[in-house]
Amino acid sequence: MDLLAFVPQFGGFLYTVASFVVALSVIVAVHEYGHYIVGRWSGIHAEVFSLGFGPVLWSRMDKRGTRWQVAALPFGGYVKFLGDVDAASGKDAAAMEAAAADPEALRRTMHGAPLWARAATVAAGPVFNFAMSAIIFTAVALSQGTMREPLTIGELAPLPAIENGLQQGDELVSAGGVAVPNYLDSAAWEAFRDAIPQEQPLEYVVRRDGAETTVSGPYLYPPYVRGVVPRSAASDAGLQQEDVIVAVDGAPLVSFDQLKQLVEAADGKVLVLDVWRGGETVEMALAPRRTDEAQPDGSFATRWRIGIVGGLAFTPATEPAGFGESLAAGSYQVWAVIETSLSGLKHMISGAISTCNLSGPIGIAETSGAMASQGAESFIRFIAVLSTAVGLLNLFPVPALDGGHLMFYAYEAVAGRPPSDRAVRVLMSLGIAIVLSLMVFALGNDLFC
């Protein structure tokens, strides 16, 4: 047996695990810090801030009496406040009884603090997750800028040798005899895209140095791989960013739409792709997979896909974006993730789409590694998406999650008294059972879907 053959796979495994740990640790640290800092501002004392569970690897006590620690199992974290018996914020009856005689000491406990302080402290974790996501999305929007109008060529995509007279800085006037509309007008752009003749080379009219000139270039939407979807047929087959799929089962391709049509028509049968990569052509075989895709109206459609993202034959030139515009775009992306997640959950419960869309730790780890391998920006954006998902999950009204605690507080606000300790213990046990069942179910999806 050649042990060296396992070195690349082992290295890839470590890279995936490391990416997962980094992504999860950042998200958990932000979430728990939200609980900690708002609790501190609200007058509730934090005894322990833990990143991870299990045996403690490192710890230190700060001047406020909070022990900060890193534990061996990096699959979550917690803040244990004064009066909590465990990481799930169950009540420590003995500690609460001891503090009852001293109003100041009682006020510093989680269960003796005013309702507003407890509610704010619990809600702060998900809120901080959403805030971090919005900050990341806003920063990405600022760094990318806004697309310049009229549509201007930035960096040309590396494509197989064809006649290409396009140059960086050219402003597109027409393509294939069809006038180029505003790129941000989605309806006009779709009509323009459908009207372009699928031929190569394609004739373009561009404005260069103030004068219009006619040049030839590649089809506007070539079968060029701008991104590979993690855990997809393309990813498993080894397709990479900047690959160009020049033929499917021997049939030459001009456009990404032609590739899409052939994939859908294959109905899951194996396709043989001729892939141009850095000047050489390699052959790959893969089978399209059924994929549930979110639609603009909030519904889902099931399609055959191989898992690649296409785009223009060039990167559009951009100009600096305003902060307000970027902040609005970043906030909208957070809401879009929440809306899509809720819609997906609803459709899974109703049976409209497969429950295999629910990923567990293995799936998330594989996605972490894949996004990290595509570059820092992709990985950071993935952290933002995952942070939003974690914040949303914690708001579900399930005892043991933040939403469950908020549910108890809502009952207390309406009834004028908290639920009984016995009722809370029973409901917390039920909540933990639900959470563990969902984790096992998601892990089963990772292994068997």
Side-chain angles (χ1 to χ4, degrees):
M1 181 181 293
D2 184 6
L3 294 178
L4 292 178
F6 291 95
V7 172
Q9 291 142 336
F10 185 65
F13 171 76
L14 289 179
Y15 185 79
T16 296
V17 171
S19 301
F20 175 58
V21 169
V22 169
L24 192 60
S25 296
V26 170
I27 292 167
V28 169
V30 168
H31 180 95
E32 299 303 336
Y33 187 76
H35 290 315
Y36 163 78
I37 194 64
V38 173
R40 198 181 91 187
W41 292 340
S42 302
I44 303 172
H45 174 63
E47 293 185 309
V48 180
F49 184 110
S50 180
L51 191 59
F53 296 99
V56 176
L57 303 178
W58 171 89
S59 70
R60 76 170 182 87
M61 188 75 73
D62 69 13
K63 62 183 180 181
R64 293 185 177 86
T66 300
R67 186 170 78 250
W68 298 75
Q69 65 184 38
V70 176
L73 302 176
F75 302 116
Y78 62 91
V79 177
K80 182 178 177 295
F81 290 103
L82 186 63
D84 288 343
V85 72
D86 51 30
S89 234
K91 184 186 291 187
D92 185 340
M96 294 303 298
E97 187 177 346
D102 183 351
E104 288 188 9
L106 184 64
R107 173 61 180 81
R108 297 179 71 231
T109 67
M110 182 62 168
H111 305 277
L115 181 60
W116 68 265
R118 287 177 277 144
T121 300
V122 169
V127 169
F128 269 54
N129 280 133
F130 297 146
M132 181 182 77
S133 299
I135 290 169
I136 291 175
F137 287 136
T138 298
V140 170
L142 279 170
S143 66
Q144 290 180 338
T146 57
M147 202 169 295
R148 190 183 303 171
E149 283 293 340
L151 183 61
T152 304
I153 295 176
E155 184 180 351
L156 292 165
L159 298 170
I162 60 167
E163 182 184 355
N164 192 352
L166 296 173
Q167 296 180 10
Q168 190 170 358
D170 285 348
E171 296 177 357
L172 263 62
V173 177
S174 70
V178 184
V180 177
N182 187 321
Y183 187 79
L184 299 179
D185 185 339
S186 56
W189 187 265
E190 282 299 316
F192 159 73
R193 178 174 175 172
D194 292 341
I196 301 172
Q198 292 194 15
E199 58 188 33
Q200 189 164 264
L202 188 66
E203 185 179 274
Y204 292 89
V205 175
V206 301
R207 187 173 293 107
R208 183 182 297 167
D209 299 327
E212 291 188 3
T213 183
T214 301
V215 297
S216 294
Y219 182 72
L220 191 60
Y221 283 92
Y224 174 71
V225 181
R226 285 206 171 270
V228 179
V229 178
R231 308 185 72 210
S232 64
S235 175
D236 292 346
L239 276 168
Q240 301 174 7
Q241 283 181 307
E242 300 190 352
D243 283 348
V244 183
I245 302 172
V246 296
V248 175
D249 289 339
L253 294 180
V254 170
S255 71
F256 194 89
D257 284 341
Q258 288 176 332
L259 171 63
K260 186 176 176 182
Q261 291 165 8
L262 289 169
V263 167
E264 291 178 345
D267 201 30
K269 296 177 182 176
V270 174
L271 298 173
V272 178
L273 311 182
D274 292 334
V275 179
W276 184 87
R277 178 182 294 169
E280 297 183 355
T281 301
V282 296
E283 194 174 271
M284 296 182 181
L286 53 76
R289 300 174 184 171
R290 283 194 174 276
T291 305
D292 297 312
E293 296 180 341
Q295 304 300 301
D297 63 356
S299 64
F300 280 77
T302 302
R303 300 282 187 267
W304 289 106
R305 295 288 184 258
I306 61 173
I308 61 172
V309 179
L312 294 165
F314 55 85
T315 302
T318 60
E319 54 192 12
F323 178 77
E325 182 182 9
S326 299
L327 179 61
S331 301
Y332 174 78
Q333 287 187 69
V334 173
W335 174 247
V337 173
I338 292 173
E339 195 173 36
T340 302
S341 299
L342 291 175
S343 177
L345 181 62
K346 171 185 150 188
H347 283 80
M348 277 190 279
I349 292 172
S350 68
I353 62 174
S354 171
T355 55
C356 285
N357 287 282
L358 181 65
S359 293
I362 296 175
I364 296 172
E366 289 178 347
T367 304
S368 299
M371 299 309 289
S373 68
Q374 293 184 24
E377 183 177 314
S378 295
F379 184 55
I380 292 171
R381 284 178 61 87
F382 170 73
I383 289 177
V385 172
L386 189 59
S387 178
T388 300
V390 168
L392 176 63
L393 176 65
N394 272 277
L395 284 178
F396 286 175
V398 177
L401 297 179
D402 293 334
H405 289 289
L406 293 174
M407 182 175 63
F408 294 148
Y409 298 153
Y411 171 86
E412 183 177 345
V414 173
R417 57 182 174 77
S420 68
D421 291 346
R422 182 175 182 277
V424 170
R425 283 196 300 271
V426 171
L427 290 172
M428 289 288 279
S429 298
L430 178 62
I432 291 172
I434 292 172
V435 171
L436 290 176
S437 297
L438 284 174
M439 290 176 63
V440 171
F441 180 77
L443 182 59
N445 281 351
D446 291 340
L447 297 174
F448 303 115
C449 279

